[in-house]
């Protein structure tokens, strides 16, 4: 009697990806499989699967991390199902929480994949991913910019040099920069230190301006419609609009404001047991950069939009931080509506 398979056999591959090597665990729908190490090259894994599991339907998964999406895109070209997953979504049993190795991680990913409990993260297209790198470079420059300014002020404070009252603010005008250049010290070594820091400051300042200009120009050229729709929302300027386009991608991919708020991190956490229920504040799982951008944009929105200002005043008496989170959620909702309806935002009028 000849036996014929009634369904295509399935192969589930969990990968723990690192720079120098991959730890791989292969499991079929019938057997537990085995773990092994391999060079960090997708084509090597493809050759292994073609040799040992030629007729299997392949599904792979690995954790999102520093190695990006190159492997995922390679697996897709082989005709495999591929997922990139959030490390926090990998379920660990009691003992597994205290024992962590690359081999165990690969086995856990394979197990979760086989059980069908994984939902992959959104993988941006190559163009948007590379545009995102420019936006993140700008944020790195902002951090460096703040740091070098703090170091310069620290040196002036350390040597007892008082900053004139007209210059003692966050805006560093050209007059203030010239004043710093003319500060006199007893010995030239301190002057050389300050000159070196001022050179760093001017370099970072120019880099920040150049990167910001190029990022806005690219978004205006390639995402013109969405860019200007976003800018019509009170509180959202050119940089925040670029951030939304770079980090969140096309907002039309979100099914609802609940979906988008959960992704950004403006959704409430709830703990309920029996008749007891309490809010635990905004969720810890968030896109922290974009959440902070929307919170900052909310402060500007309540100054320019009477409707948002009325909503803010309606909650006065509560914790100010809690109120601005509510405003940020409403601002996020309106941002999604503007993109989905493709209608520019109109500032409301209170009658």
């Amino acid at each position: 009697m000849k036996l014929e398979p009634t369904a295509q056999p399935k192969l589930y591959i969990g990968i723990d990806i690192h720079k120098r090597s991959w730890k791989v665990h292969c499991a079929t729908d019938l057997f537990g499989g085995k773990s092994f190490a391999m060079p960090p090259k997708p084509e090597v894994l493809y050759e292994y699967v073609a040799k040992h599991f030629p007729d299997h339907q392949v599904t792979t998964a690995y954790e999102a991390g520093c190695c990006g999406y190159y492997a995922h895109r390679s697996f897709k070209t082989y005709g495999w199902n591929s997922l990139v997953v959030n490390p926090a979504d990998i379920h660990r049993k009691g003992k597994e929480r205290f024992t962590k190795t690359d081999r165990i991680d690969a086995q856990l990913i394979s197990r979760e994949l086989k059980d069908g409990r994984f939902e992959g993260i959104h993988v941006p297209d190559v163009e948007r991913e590379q545009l995102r790198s420019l936006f993140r470079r700008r944020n790195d420059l902002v951090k460096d910019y703040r740091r070098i300014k703090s170091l310069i002020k620290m040196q002036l404070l350390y040597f007892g040099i008082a900053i004139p009252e007209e210059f003692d603010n966050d805006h560093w005008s050209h007059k203030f920069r010239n004043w710093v250049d003319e500060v006199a010290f007893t010995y030239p070594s301190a002057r050389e230190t300050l000159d070196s820091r001022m050179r760093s400051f001017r370099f970072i300042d120019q880099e920040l301006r150049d990167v910001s200009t190029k990022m806005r120009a690219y978004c205006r050229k390639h995402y013109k419609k969405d860019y200007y729709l976003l800018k019509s929302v009170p509180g959202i300027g050119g940089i925040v609009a670029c951030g939304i386009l770079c980090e969140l991608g096309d907002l039309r991919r979100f099914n609802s404001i609940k979906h988008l708020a959960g992704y950004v991190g403006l959704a409430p956490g709830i703990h309920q047991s029996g008749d007891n229920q309490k809010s635990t504040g905004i969720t810890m799982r968030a896109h922290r950069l974009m959440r902070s951008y929307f919170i900052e944009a909310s402060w500007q929105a309540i100054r320019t939009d009477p409707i948002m200002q009325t909503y803010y005043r309606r909650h006065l008496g509560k914790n100010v931080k809690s109120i601005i989170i509510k405003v940020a959620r409403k601002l996020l909702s309106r941002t999604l509506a503007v993109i989905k309806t493709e209608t520019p935002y109109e500032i409301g009028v209170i009658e």
Side-chain angles (χ1 to χ4, degrees), residues 268-281:
I270 298 175
H271 184 274
Q272 187 266 335
S273 179
D275 297 332
N276 299 321
Q277 179 174 321
K278 68 176 181 179
S279 174
T280 58

Side-chain angles (χ1 to χ4, degrees), residues 120-155:
I121 64 171
H122 172 70
V123 177
D125 58 61
V126 177
E127 180 188 11
R128 226 178 262 267
E129 182 186 13
Q130 295 186 4
L131 176 61
R132 186 176 67 180
S133 69
L134 186 63
F135 177 72
R136 294 184 177 182
R137 170 59 181 160
R138 182 190 178 276
N139 281 280
D140 292 338
L141 288 170
V142 169
K143 294 176 184 177
D144 294 339
Y145 185 74
R146 292 171 179 168
R147 181 174 180 272
I148 193 63
K149 288 174 70 174
S150 297
L151 288 173
I152 292 170
K153 287 189 173 182
M154 178 198 70
Q155 181 175 348

